[in-house]
Amino acid sequence: MGYCVSIKRMNEILKELQKEYKIYAPVRFEKRGRYSDTDLIRYAEINSIEDVVYDEKSDFSPKEVIYPITQALFYFTEYEYMESKIDDKKILIFARPCDINGFRRLDTIFLKNGGTEDIYYKRLREKVKFILMECKEGGWDSCFCVSMGSNKTDDYSLAVRFEDDNILVEIKDDEFTNLFGDEREVEFTPEFVTSNPTKVNIPEIDSYELLKKIYDLDMWKSYNSRCISCGACTAVCITCSCFTTLDVTYTENGKVGERRRVHASCMHEDFTIMAGGLSFRKTAGERMRFRTLHKIYDYKLRFKDEHMCVGCGRCDERCPELISFAATINRLYDEVKKLKKAETTKDIK
Amino acid sequence: MSYDIDIKKVRRNCYRQSKVRGEFMLQIRVPGGVIDAKYLSFFQHIAETWGNGEFHLGVRQTISIPGIKYEYIDEVNKYIRPYIEEIEVNLCGVDMVVDDNGYPTIGARNIMACIGNRHCIKANIDTTDLARKIEKVIFPSDYHIKLNISGCPNDCAKAHVSDIGIIGITKTEYDYDRCIGCKKCVEACAHHATRVLSVEKGKIVKDSCCCVGCGECVLVCPTGAWTRNPKKFYRILIGGRTGKQTPRMGKIFLNWVTEDVVLGVLKNWEIFSAYVMNNKPEYIHGGHLIDRVGYNKFKEMILKDVKLNPEAMVAERVLWAETEYRSNFNVKPVTQR
Amino acid sequence: MSVNIMLPTPHKIIDIIRETGNEYTFRIETNAKVKHGQFFQVSLPKVGEAPISVSAMGDGWVELTIRKVGKVTNEIFNLKPGDKIFMRGPYGNSFPVDDFKGKDLVVIAGGTGVSPVRSLLKYFYEHPAEIHSLHLIAGFKDEKSILFKEDLSNFRKRFNTIYTLDKDKIEGFEVGFVTEHIKKIPFDSFENYNVVIVGPPVMMHFAALECLKNGVPEGKIWLSFERKMSCGVGKCGHCKINETYVCLEGPVFNYTKAKNLLD
Ligand SMILES: Cc1cc2nc3c(=O)[nH]c(=O)nc-3n(C[C@H](O)[C@H](O)[C@H](O)COP(=O)(O)OP(=O)(O)OC[C@H]3O[C@@H](n4cnc5c(N)ncnc54)[C@H](O)[C@@H]3O)c2cc1C
Ligand code: SF4
Ligand code: SF4
Ligand code: SF4
Ligand code: SF4
Ligand code: SF4
Ligand code: FES
């Protein structure tokens, strides 16, 4: 069922929803961008529908809402420790199809991998309902959701299209029907992007022999001088889930403190460093290879259904060194094609 | 041809004497170094019609057209009238009457600026915009001032060797929860700037005293934990100069001041100069004026009616470090004081 | 609410045995069911967590042999018997002990690498009937670094042992790296056997190559990996190599798998 809702009414409805929900959406932080006089768009709680930045791609993904960058796990006092607590409000997130599909990847890591559930993720994830935000036609320049098959979803409670004075709303979740009961009914279901300007070809890696050759490709070395290992690409990624735990004390005497986790990046030099200084993947190129293969090869090998990358393109947009992940995938595809061709000609000989 | 020319008068109109008798080079003002590309054909026309067909990118970012014969100066002045009108009056809002006599004065020199945040990834301010606002304040004035604006403490526009140097700085703000303790900002600050950041308990600690406000930490931070305060801040350097006798680096006068303070200070420059030179403008570097009356007098006059913003910091004193090409250059006979 | 996999529980330290100057064995009270080769996430509140292998186990206790190298391990070394230490686990897979039973077993261990196989060795020491033969090559850097001296001398009685120090010459020890002694193992005389290799990555790499050179089939070689770990339960991503999580599918890997773990 669809409704046409005025902005004023939408704000009243949001107010009503706020009694039970924290509502998150991409929000503009003016002049907080990386460069002077540029804005930063990231997820934050909204107070009115006008806060929602619907016509641009957000710099950061909505993962931070339920997988905070810094998250306390336990609090310690001198003799006791206790699990960190959360608010009991439910959560509504304005999200694009790629991001909703991205959350499924996070679910896989946090709720399925190793056959265990991470309660810190779960307790927030359980509270989430999605409001699907329609994308503009074709998406944005760096989007390649269609190539990754993540351009569509039906995992949402509400779907919205922003028009000049009105918002079209589709309601899939009965919980919300009453709120919209008095609005003008219209035919509306969201449209999904069916083609992006950016396209990627995912290489088919079907043997360890091929994988070994991929590891040795020269293309990775080109990133040694290009990539500054800043980790911006993983920080913005909807599907990057890595973290490091650490303990801290609050006071000089060290009696109270917490165990927390913070996001980590496999692009950082110290991601694999062990006590004693031994580390793996010492060069930026090796780390780029690791990230690339995680996103478009080994995650799927492990979990079968889908690749980790959903093609949101944020890593492309955010890389300060103008390294395009889409271009990296396509470069790999070409290299793999060459490797396969060399293999078949060898067979014929 | 034999010439009888008042070269002082011609210079006032921004024509510089050439080694070729009777030839001059016109220095066209481009405040902040940025103007519409359409003026290229205008400059071309002057160079090809009255000059020797060449032009020089003036070191102070003027468009300089050499080889103009004295007898063409009147014609050229007529031709540049609309340019002066468009740039000085319309673009910069300078309060002046434009006539057929060319530039009214060369006193306040062309304002130099780096490209700033219209293009540069390191810049903290829109230097072009600031240059145009300042042009309105300092031009036309017979009192000499060389003013350079840099978008960040890299100081590509050499604010450190100008009478008044302005550097765009940023007050960075730290979001504790967004920080992942990756130390990228710590490394960047140590590499590019003043090593004021360190990690303690997985988060950043900053020794704010010595932050130069460059924003390198913002540029490198992967999570957006460091951002710029949207308010723009400036550092003002004074007394820098080049020259044959005692070149020296400018020293910090004000730090963390707002645009209003910058403009307020510059409004007082003419008054200060006039005071030191008894209302007789001559070509003399600003640093010498400050030296003549002392820093404290300068400070008092230049900050008159300027309302400092709460973040502002003012130098208590200035310790100059000159390059003395003659030792004891500053030690002079009593008669020459 | 489901169980919190990050939640550690306090355990009493029963005894502390000084193995070397910077390696102590902590005997800790626990009823956890542990398999040979598994590890615990050991922690001290306000200091941090560290993955530590079980080096021995018994009724109501496990032993952890810890090398003092940094923040957490330094602090653990200040603990006294009776103090509490926090643990969660055990995690990871284990050596396929049932597969080893009744066959010949070769164990090649270097330095602290002895610790994750110690419980396995102790098991076969205590149940000699369950193994056809056991050849142990254990190597240490120097005399100061020798771990588990008492166990090593016991093992001499029931196993075929080669103990070696990198350079020093002392009574009962050969000289040279463990890899140099692998050729002494009578692989040809075994009917059915397995080889376990544990130690620093470089040592494991060369020991495995040496075994292959001596005709050991890949499928008979088992290695125990060490990687940076933050969670131990397949969430943090630090230990991942290809599609494999060392904390979940490891730390013990058969060579056929291990050789494809490309870092
Ligand atoms: C499966 C497994 C089993 C293990 N079994 C044992 C065992 O039985 N006995 C034993 O003694 N050890 C064992 N270890 C190693 C042990 O976990 C580490 O020595 C321990 O984590 C060190 O912790 P720490 O806080 O004392 O050291 P720290 O050096 O303070 O290390 C703290 C953290 O920082 C990282 N780090 C270290 N150096 C650097 C650096 N230069 N830059 C950035 N980060 C750094 C480390 O990786 C560590 O996660 C095992 C490891 C694994 C993975
Ligand atoms: S790898 Fe890049 S394109 Fe793919 S999901 Fe992550 S941020 Fe988006
Ligand atoms: S790409 Fe790197 S940071 Fe992202 S999930 Fe994979 S291992 Fe973690
Ligand atoms: S954002 Fe770019 S430079 Fe930074 S780590 Fe990623 S690929 Fe490298
Ligand atoms: S702005 Fe300050 S803290 Fe940041 S890099 Fe520059 S000097 Fe360092
Ligand atoms: S670069 Fe950003 S995330 Fe990294 S330590 Fe500095 S503030 Fe924290
Ligand atoms: S240690 Fe965290 S995923 Fe393996």
Side-chain angles (χ1 to χ4, degrees), chain C residues 116-129:
Chain C
V117 281
R118 180 180 172 233
S119 71
L120 181 76
L121 291 167
K122 280 172 91 87
Y123 177 82
F124 286 123
Y125 177 76
E126 282 152 22
H127 303 87

Side-chain angles (χ1 to χ4, degrees), chain B residues 155-299:
Chain B
D155 193 14
C156 297
K158 317 285 182 270
H160 276 85
V161 286
S162 56
D163 298 323
I164 299 252
I166 298 167
I167 291 177
I169 51 177
T170 180
K171 270 216 181 292
T172 58
E173 288 178 358
Y174 177 65
D175 185 336
Y176 184 93
D177 286 329
R178 292 193 75 78
C179 172
I180 60 171
C182 69
K183 301 198 189 87
K184 293 289 155 185
C185 57
V186 177
E187 289 160 15
C189 185
H191 180 75
H192 297 284
T194 41
R195 222 170 52 238
V196 298
L197 304 177
S198 53
V199 173
E200 248 175 57
K201 297 176 184 173
K203 300 284 178 177
I204 294 297
V205 185
K206 176 168 167 177
D207 181 1
S208 303
C209 92
C210 307
C211 167
V212 293
C214 59
E216 290 288 348
C217 45
V218 177
L219 291 173
V220 79
C221 179
T223 61
W226 283 116
T227 56
R228 294 182 179 76
N229 180 325
K231 226 165 117 180
K232 299 285 189 293
F233 291 95
Y234 305 85
R235 174 177 309 141
I236 302 186
L237 299 149
I238 51 167
R241 63 185 171 227
T242 58
K244 295 183 182 101
Q245 294 172 322
T246 49
R248 72 183 185 196
M249 289 282 261
K251 289 281 175 157
I252 184 164
F253 165 46
L254 299 174
N255 211 10
W256 308 112
V257 296
T258 54
E259 188 182 289
D260 286 346
V261 173
V262 170
L263 297 175
V265 159
L266 291 171
K267 268 190 197 117
N268 287 333
W269 178 258
E270 195 177 47
I271 305 166
F272 169 73
S273 302
Y275 165 79
V276 182
M277 292 185 276
N278 284 322
N279 298 314
K280 283 195 278 296
E282 40 172 319
Y283 173 55
I284 185 166
H285 280 147
H288 294 298
L289 304 185
I290 299 169
D291 294 347
R292 279 192 199 171
V293 295
Y295 169 69
N296 283 327
K297 184 69 188 168
F298 163 79
K299 183 165 83 175

Side-chain angles (χ1 to χ4, degrees), chain A residues 30-37 42 60 64 69-70 229-232 235 246 248-249 260 262-263 268-269, chain B residues 117 121 123-125 173 175-180 182 184 201-203 218-219 222-224 227-228 230 232:
Chain A
E30 263 177 53
K31 298 188 194 244
R32 298 280 178 176
R34 180 187 280 140
Y35 304 119
S36 172
D37 285 346
R42 64 171 171 83
F60 285 84
E64 322 176 346
I69 296 173
T70 302
S229 304
C230 68
L246 80 157
V248 292
T249 49
R260 65 162 68 126
V262 292
H263 288 186
H268 288 154
E269 299 87 339
Chain B
N117 81 4
I121 58 177
N124 294 313
I125 57 161
E173 288 178 358
D175 185 336
Y176 184 93
D177 286 329
R178 292 193 75 78
C179 172
I180 60 171
C182 69
K184 293 289 155 185
K201 297 176 184 173
K203 300 284 178 177
V218 177
L219 291 173
T223 61
T227 56
R228 294 182 179 76
K232 299 285 189 293

Side-chain angles (χ1 to χ4, degrees), chain B residues 4 22 44 55 74 90 97 115 128 136 141 161-162 165 218 223 239 277 308 329:
Chain B
D4 177 45
Q44 184 184 6
F55 74 97
D74 284 345
N90 301 346
V97 183
I115 188 73
T128 309
K136 178 177 157 68
S141 166
V161 286
S162 56
V218 177
T223 61
M277 292 185 276
L308 291 170
F329 180 82

